[in-house]
Amino acid sequence: MTELAVAEIKHTHWNGNVYEPSDDTFLLVDVLQEYARKWESSKPRCCLELGCGSGFVITSLALLLRQLASPVRAQLLAIDHSPAAAEATAQTLRSHQVADVEVVIASLFGPLLERLQGSVDVLLFNPPYVPTPDEEVERGGIASAWAGGWKGRRVIDRVLPLLPKLLSPTGELFMVTVTENEPKGIIDEMKAHGFQGRIAGTRQADEETLSIVHLWREPLAAA
Ligand SMILES: C[S@@+](CC[C@H](N)C(=O)[O-])C[C@H]1O[C@@H](n2cnc3c(N)ncnc32)[C@H](O)[C@@H]1O
């Protein structure tokens, strides 16, 4: 089967204030590329990337959905709290002729949380996951792209409790983690909230072991 195309680095924009696409970015996109054909049957209607940075991931998702045998026309959203990242994402989308992604500047889901309730079918998140002193989290500037505080979990642990409210009944999350974030522990913790999960991909990169946590809801037991 032919490989579906993703965004091209030569058409991707970033600068000193925006996270440069790195091994974590590429692992997430590789996992999405491998998984994409499953969306031919599940037909997601609303897809969102939290923390879009350069826009490489959301642009790749938009391109993947377009290339499916039965193309998926979903509402596509990209959120970042950094105006520089939002601008870079908009430029990267334009450079790939992708016009159907709404780019929003907000911290976490901001005012969209209420509007999106129960409707997100695909949520992508490459969070600030590096263990750092807590004071460094969301201090502003480019450090907020990676500084994750205690166990690298401070931002991750603000997002996980929102999943039951945010995701649709068939909604799924693909999230980048490193070993220090305890990816298998995250999957176990989310079982109590009705989710099941797997590690969808791993990669060794410099000093970090990256894993993609894939979570989705347990099917409801038949009455
Ligand atoms: C590790 S970078 C990932 C960037 C891009 N998605 C990628 O994979 O290359 C994390 C991104 O999350 C954004 N971010 C961090 N905290 C955030 C928050 N509270 N709300 C929204 N975006 C946030 C940062 O600005 C940064 O662009």
Side-chain angles (χ1 to χ4, degrees), residues 19-22 24-25 28 49-57 79-82 85 106-108 125-129 138 144-146 155 158:
Y19 190 76
E20 176 174 349
S22 308
D24 46 358
T25 316
L28 178 57
E49 184 190 8
L50 180 61
C52 50
S54 67
F56 186 84
V57 176
I79 299 179
D80 206 293
H81 67 173
S82 152
S107 183
L108 298 187
F125 190 29
N126 181 2
Y129 58 67
E138 294 191 7
S144 78
W146 67 77
V155 181
R158 289 175 64 199

Side-chain angles (χ1 to χ4, degrees), residues 30-49:
D30 287 351
V31 163
L32 300 178
Q33 187 182 36
E34 203 176 285
Y35 187 81
R37 287 196 168 91
K38 301 242 169 45
W39 291 318
E40 278 169 4
S41 46
S42 65
K43 297 204 183 311
R45 287 186 303 179
C46 175
C47 306
L48 186 160
E49 184 190 8

Side-chain angles (χ1 to χ4, degrees), residues 62-114:
L63 295 174
L64 288 169
L65 294 177
R66 256 184 209 182
Q67 293 164 81
L68 298 176
S70 145
V72 169
R73 274 185 232 294
Q75 177 191 21
L76 298 170
L77 293 158
I79 299 179
D80 206 293
H81 67 173
S82 152
E87 177 53 30
T89 292
Q91 280 181 286
T92 297
L93 289 162
R94 275 198 298 275
S95 302
H96 289 83
Q97 286 83 48
V98 174
D100 52 351
V101 176
E102 187 185 346
V103 184
V104 177
I105 300 171
S107 183
L108 298 187
F109 302 97
L112 295 183
L113 189 60
E114 290 307 310

